[in-house]
Amino acid sequence: MTSGFLAPINPLVADVGSPPIPEAQSWTKRYDGAYGPLINLSQAVPGNAPHPGLLERMAATAGSAAGSQYGPINGDAGLRQAYATELSRLYEGRIAPEDTAVTAGCNLAFFAAMMLLAHRGEAVLLPTPWYFNHQMSLDMLGIEARALPCRPEAGFVPRVEDAEALIDDKVRAIVLVTPNNPTGAVYPAHVIESFAEMCRKRKIYLVIDETYRDFLPSGMNRAHGLFANEKWRDTVVQLYSFSKSYAIPGHRMGAITADAGLIEHVAKILDCIQICPPRTAQAALPWAIDGLRDWREENRAEINGRAKVFRAALAPLPEWRIESVGAYFAYLRHPFPGKTAQAVAEKLATERGVLCLPGTYFGPGQDGHLRVAFANVGADILEYLTERLGGLTL
């Protein structure tokens, strides 16, 4: 019996590392429970259940024959109409259903967008620290993930001048993620709008991943004003996650917004990689977009509240420095110079029962950091972090 493959596989896939979260989760098998139950802060999982009304409507669709059939490639008409209406209201612009496509999650939306905008040998700027699935997707497509540095002293907000210096004839797009994964940083509207103007001048695309849009700080209802001006159609591609906003990640619901001409090309890609987005949640979301507005606002307040509890839990531990926090995430500088982020994260998981991710999962130069997904657990659990992190030695 031999190990290995009878024939080689695509080296662009073979050279990509394994998904990092399962690796981190494996560390917890060595935790003996000495400090109490495991506190899992590794993955961006909605910390609340879906609304009962949404579950009821999804159950009705799942139990129907119609809900088991293929749907339109770009998503059901009712959801695209409701989503376009919501975008037009929120951003005070003109967005039509034809400017949208529903996808099986926001990761798939990103993959489709990158396949559309660049090809092998070209480049896309990714803010670093970056979301590892973005980098993995580009690597598998043969597209260079060119690091756009986001510095702690600038609140991990990218600068237009840094991007300008990185653009050459290979660059086809710049990706912005706000609120950011992994840092939680929220980019100011003027920064996003400056990037859009620069991309327009350089004739490249600006891809804005707004997965965590519905968890912006209280009183901040939108990240930018780009859609108020029709010029957005030349430059902007926006990504979104229904999965996070409605606490249904297992139903895989995302969206792409772009000019209808681009969406026509997106449909070619979606027809090959999803045929149609999942039907069950699509039938319920048109009701939820308007009907659960107050529920979403309550969730936002709850998540923002958890951020405050997380800050309070770490206040007695100044050696653990919170360098950025927002939406679902905090980016934490660990107090062990010379020690790898992986060593610190593994020690926390195996000895203290706190699972978070090492900064090295999120790109070069991140060995001094850990990412904490504090939205996963209730405020009552986050309070235990003072004891769990205090006194840790390596």
Side-chain angles (χ1 to χ4, degrees), residues 342-362:
Q342 179 154 334
V344 177
E346 190 169 353
K347 190 79 175 287
L348 271 176
T350 58
E351 291 194 6
R352 300 298 179 95
V354 177
L355 181 61
C356 50
L357 299 185
T360 44
Y361 285 178
F362 302 97

Side-chain angles (χ1 to χ4, degrees), residues 207-257:
V207 179
I208 308 175
D209 185 332
E210 295 189 61
T211 292
Y212 301 96
R213 181 182 73 208
D214 290 325
F215 305 97
L216 286 164
S218 180
M220 183 179 180
N221 295 323
R222 66 186 188 196
H224 55 80
L226 295 179
F227 291 132
N229 188 314
E230 284 292 294
K231 291 192 296 185
W232 75 268
R233 296 181 176 278
D234 301 329
T235 307
V236 176
V237 176
Q238 186 207 46
L239 312 180
Y240 176 69
S241 172
F242 296 104
S243 299
K244 292 294 193 296
S245 296
Y246 296 92
I248 51 170
H251 286 280
R252 311 309 304 134
M253 284 275 98
I256 301 175
T257 301

Side-chain angles (χ1 to χ4, degrees), residues 25 61 79 87 116 120 136 153 160 172 186 190 197 207 218 223 252 289 295 302 325 356 373 384 386:
Q25 289 173 338
T61 301
L79 177 53
L87 288 173
L116 174 70
R120 182 172 180 169
M136 291 168 70
E153 60 270 22
V160 169
R172 293 292 174 263
V186 176
H190 71 86
E197 187 59 33
V207 179
S218 180
R252 311 309 304 134
I289 286 173
W295 179 83
E302 170 65 20
V325 62
C356 50
Y384 290 107
T386 309

Side-chain angles (χ1 to χ4, degrees), residues 258-270:
D259 181 76
L262 282 180
I263 294 296
E264 289 180 6
H265 292 292
V266 168
K268 304 173 191 176
I269 300 169
L270 298 181

Side-chain angles (χ1 to χ4, degrees), residues 95-284:
I95 299 170
E98 294 76 22
D99 299 323
T100 68
V102 181
T103 62
C106 197
N107 267 9
L108 190 146
F110 179 84
F111 196 91
M114 293 301 101
M115 187 179 289
L116 174 70
L117 301 180
H119 62 74
R120 182 172 180 169
E122 294 181 332
V124 169
L125 302 192
L126 284 187
T128 184
W130 54 40
Y131 174 41
F132 46 76
N133 282 157
H134 286 175
Q135 180 256 333
M136 291 168 70
S137 294
L138 291 176
D139 283 354
M140 286 188 281
L141 289 168
I143 300 167
E144 177 192 350
R146 192 170 296 181
L148 171 60
C150 299
R151 300 175 177 85
E153 60 270 22
F156 292 100
V157 174
R159 303 192 311 166
V160 169
E161 52 267 42
D162 290 336
E164 283 269 21
L166 293 168
I167 295 173
D168 57 22
D169 58 3
K170 291 175 61 179
V171 173
R172 293 292 174 263
I174 299 174
V175 175
L176 299 182
V177 183
T178 184
N180 187 261
N181 178 6
T183 66
V186 176
Y187 302 166
H190 71 86
V191 170
I192 297 170
E193 290 156 13
S194 295
F195 268 94
E197 187 59 33
M198 186 263 288
C199 287
R200 187 174 296 111
K201 290 178 180 176
R202 300 299 293 260
K203 294 182 170 55
I204 60 177
Y205 287 96
L206 178 65
V207 179
I208 308 175
D209 185 332
E210 295 189 61
T211 292
Y212 301 96
R213 181 182 73 208
D214 290 325
F215 305 97
L216 286 164
S218 180
M220 183 179 180
N221 295 323
R222 66 186 188 196
H224 55 80
L226 295 179
F227 291 132
N229 188 314
E230 284 292 294
K231 291 192 296 185
W232 75 268
R233 296 181 176 278
D234 301 329
T235 307
V236 176
V237 176
Q238 186 207 46
L239 312 180
Y240 176 69
S241 172
F242 296 104
S243 299
K244 292 294 193 296
S245 296
Y246 296 92
I248 51 170
H251 286 280
R252 311 309 304 134
M253 284 275 98
I256 301 175
T257 301
D259 181 76
L262 282 180
I263 294 296
E264 289 180 6
H265 292 292
V266 168
K268 304 173 191 176
I269 300 169
L270 298 181
D271 188 41
C272 293
I273 59 179
Q274 71 175 21
I275 297 182
C276 69
R279 303 297 308 288
T280 299
Q282 283 194 83

